[in-house]
């Protein structure tokens, strides 16, 4: 997160570019499945690609397109990870089904254009992308035992719907397709997450918790993941 002033003209330009990109990707009424973050092993970009492969193999890709937004995808220059991600995409036949977009200051457009978010991280205490997505009413999927988001989804009664077994990609692919195939349920869960996250992740709630701890009142504890 940066508190530096962002050039409004730059943001407007990026927004226009992104709208054009997503218009093309969503041609034929496709919906966007989003992943985001640095291109690194910890973020599980390879697992995101594997999830797309499972969806394709199961014949459920017709109305979906997978998009990863983040810094570092460079198959030519990064032979440690990016090159292998590209190879994975090619061998799985996903060239037309997955797109990488560099980090952007117009991330709001990305959320607006997406239908669901996958948190495929192997370890990620409390990813901002998940909090942002849920606050906007987007369903979020993740792996058990990898992130604090699991606890929140559990509290919302969504473990069976949105939490896959530990690094179990087939589980995540199944959950994703099952939910997105039911538009009414997808909308209802999005609204549930939006309301719950507004309460759970509000900055004031967090600050109040810190003040309670400072006073020695441990009835409220800031979660540690």
């Amino acid at each position: 997160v940066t508190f530096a002033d962002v050039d409004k003209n730059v943001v407007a330009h990026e927004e226009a570019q992104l709208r054009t990109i997503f218009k093309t990707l969503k041609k034929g009424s496709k919906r966007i499945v989003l992943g985001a973050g640095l291109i690194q092993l910890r973020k599980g970009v390879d697992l995101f690609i594997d999830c797309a492969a499972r969806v394709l193999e199961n014949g459920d890709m017709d109305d979906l397109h997978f998009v990863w937004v983040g810094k570092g995808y460079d198959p030519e220059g990064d032979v440690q990870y990016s090159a292998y991600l590209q190879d994975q995409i090619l061998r799985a036949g996903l060239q037309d089904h997955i797109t990488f977009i560099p980090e952007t200051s117009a991330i709001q457009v990305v959320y607006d254009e997406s239908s669901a978010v996958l948190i495929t991280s192997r370890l990620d205490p409390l990813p901002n992308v998940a909090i942002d997505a849920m606050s906007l009413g987007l369903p979020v999927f993740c792996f058990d035992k990898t992130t604090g988001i699991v606890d929140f989804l559990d509290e919302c009664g969504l473990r069976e719907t949105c939490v896959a077994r530990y690094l179990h990609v087939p589980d995540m692919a199944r959950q994703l397709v099952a939910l997105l195939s039911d538009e009414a349920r997808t909308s209802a869960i999005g609204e549930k997450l939006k309301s719950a996250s507004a309460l759970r992740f509000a900055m004031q709630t967090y600050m109040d918790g810190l003040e309670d701890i400072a006073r020695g009142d441990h009835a409220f504890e800031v979660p540690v993941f």
Side-chain angles (χ1 to χ4, degrees), residues 61-100:
M61 187 65 87
D62 287 349
D63 66 342
L64 299 178
H65 191 90
F66 284 64
V67 173
W68 187 280
V69 177
K71 181 180 181 180
Y73 184 65
D74 179 14
E76 299 299 322
D78 173 22
V79 297
Q80 299 299 315
Y81 194 42
S82 294
Y84 291 99
L85 296 178
Q86 183 185 56
D87 184 69
Q88 181 184 358
I89 290 168
L90 294 174
R91 292 178 189 274
L94 290 167
Q95 321 64 313
D96 299 325
H97 304 291
I98 188 166
T99 299
F100 283 86

Side-chain angles (χ1 to χ4, degrees), residues 15 26 40 55 117 125 160 166 172 181 196 207 218-220 224:
E15 287 178 347
K26 297 173 77 172
Q40 57 179 221
V55 171
V117 174
E160 295 299 319
Y166 177 68
M172 181 174 282
S181 64
M207 296 305 294
H218 298 290
F220 178 99
V224 177

Side-chain angles (χ1 to χ4, degrees), residues 14-218:
E14 289 187 16
E15 287 178 347
Q17 284 186 318
L18 285 171
R19 295 289 185 194
T20 300
I21 290 171
F22 279 106
K23 183 177 181 180
T24 300
L25 297 180
K26 297 173 77 172
K27 191 171 294 183
S29 299
K30 287 184 177 292
R31 289 172 292 173
I32 301 298
V33 178
L34 177 66
L38 289 172
I39 304 299
Q40 57 179 221
L41 184 67
R42 182 176 68 86
K43 289 291 187 180
V45 189
D46 54 306
L47 301 177
F48 181 81
I49 295 170
D50 192 17
C51 188
R54 305 284 178 158
V55 171
L56 181 63
E57 289 172 359
N58 292 335
D60 297 314
M61 187 65 87
D62 287 349
D63 66 342
L64 299 178
H65 191 90
F66 284 64
V67 173
W68 187 280
V69 177
K71 181 180 181 180
Y73 184 65
D74 179 14
E76 299 299 322
D78 173 22
V79 297
Q80 299 299 315
Y81 194 42
S82 294
Y84 291 99
L85 296 178
Q86 183 185 56
D87 184 69
Q88 181 184 358
I89 290 168
L90 294 174
R91 292 178 189 274
L94 290 167
Q95 321 64 313
D96 299 325
H97 304 291
I98 188 166
T99 299
F100 283 86
I101 296 175
E103 63 179 344
T104 175
S105 56
I107 190 65
Q108 182 64 45
V109 172
V110 177
Y111 292 132
D112 288 345
E113 298 286 354
S114 300
S115 294
V117 174
L118 302 186
I119 303 298
T120 52
S121 299
R122 290 176 165 85
L123 188 62
D124 209 340
L126 207 59
N128 286 332
V129 63
I131 296 173
D132 291 344
M134 292 188 296
S135 70
L136 294 170
L138 287 175
V140 168
F141 299 84
C142 62
F143 293 118
D144 194 19
K145 303 176 183 177
T146 62
T147 171
I149 296 299
V150 170
D151 296 330
F152 177 69
L153 292 172
D154 221 352
E155 292 170 9
C156 292
L158 296 175
R159 172 174 285 272
E160 295 299 319
T161 301
C162 298
V163 180
R165 283 176 284 171
Y166 177 68
L167 302 188
H168 199 291
V169 176
D171 253 11
M172 181 174 282
R174 175 185 55 79
Q175 290 174 329
L176 172 68
V177 172
L179 182 58
L180 292 187
S181 64
D182 188 335
E183 189 173 337
R185 188 159 176 254
T186 298
S187 179
I189 286 177
E191 286 302 312
K192 183 174 187 177
L193 288 173
K194 184 176 182 178
S195 299
S197 63
L199 295 173
R200 175 69 178 273
F201 300 113
M203 181 57 72
Q204 188 58 53
T205 300
Y206 182 78
M207 296 305 294
D208 289 346
L210 292 179
E211 290 177 1
D212 288 343
I213 290 174
R215 290 194 301 265
D217 179 0
H218 298 290

